[in-house]
Amino acid sequence: KQSPFLAQSPAFISMCSDDPNNLPEVNKVKGVAIAVLVFGVISCLGFLVPGQWWGGIGGVLAVIGASVLLCCTGSGASASAGSHIGAGVLIASAAIVHAVAVIVYIVFWANVVNAVNDNCDDDVYSYNQDGVDCDDLASGVGAFIGVLIWPIIVIDIATFCVELICAIFSFQAAQAVRAQALPTTAGVPVAKPV
């Protein structure tokens, strides 16, 4: 059974279901913005990869853009095309940063694995001297780095896809809001006749 508080809460109604006062495009972008917000928070884990903060920066941009869509775009006649455009630009920027992050993380992973393998090939480590089997060391380092970085890469790819969709929907919502703008008389908005 639903709580009576939630049933009457305007925030619950407007965030978790279609607002009948909004255009369909605005409701659609708000639904996708919730997913962007969740993936943006998760992709902030990119700050945990030493020196590779791209995913975290993209996550912060996504969280800000999704937050603007969810709380600051207005409703019904007060919907703001400018807020949708601003949020769309932030989310599109986050998508670009996440695409770059995926490339940077893959290059980082490949460089670490290659550096360990090169050290093995150059006899930096020898089993007789150090008691280290170089092949075991190389596979262990590759697996350790892979366990840390591949989940972040997968999250960033998913986040990129959701952000791209949300940015497109945000620009479409801005166009729909502009098309529904009130007519003006001498620069002052007037009510549409019914």
Side-chain angles (χ1 to χ4, degrees):
K1 183 175 176 181
Q2 189 177 19
S3 163
F5 171 74
L6 290 178
Q8 297 173 1
S9 169
F12 178 80
I13 291 168
S14 67
M15 186 187 306
C16 297
S17 65
D18 286 349
D19 184 351
N21 297 321
N22 279 338
L23 297 168
E25 294 86 352
V26 173
N27 285 330
K28 182 170 61 172
V29 76
K30 284 189 176 197
V32 177
I34 294 170
V36 169
L37 183 65
V38 170
F39 276 102
V41 168
I42 293 170
S43 71
C44 285
L45 292 173
F47 284 122
L48 299 177
V49 180
Q52 309 295 328
W53 39 261
W54 291 93
I57 295 293
V60 169
L61 289 171
V63 166
I64 294 169
S67 297
V68 167
L69 285 173
L70 291 172
C71 79
C72 305
T73 54
S75 176
S78 68
S80 168
S83 295
H84 283 95
I85 290 173
V89 168
L90 280 169
I91 293 171
S93 299
I96 292 168
V97 171
H98 278 113
V100 169
V102 168
I103 294 166
V104 168
Y105 292 157
I106 290 171
V107 169
F108 172 73
W109 172 78
N111 285 340
V112 168
V113 170
N114 287 337
V116 171
N117 287 335
D118 288 347
N119 285 340
C120 286
D121 293 342
D122 295 340
D123 290 330
V124 171
Y125 300 109
S126 70
Y127 185 75
N128 296 335
Q129 281 182 328
D130 304 324
V132 175
D133 182 8
C134 204
D135 292 333
D136 289 342
L137 177 66
S139 63
V141 168
F144 178 73
I145 295 296
V147 165
L148 293 177
I149 204 152
W150 282 105
I152 294 172
I153 290 171
V154 170
I155 288 169
D156 282 352
I157 290 171
T159 304
F160 166 78
C161 294
V162 173
E163 288 166 347
L164 192 61
I165 292 167
C166 189
I168 291 168
F169 286 175
S170 186
F171 295 128
Q172 289 173 349
Q175 284 181 329
V177 168
R178 275 198 201 123
Q180 289 289 340
L182 294 175
T184 58
T185 302
V188 177
V190 294
K192 291 182 181 180
V194 242

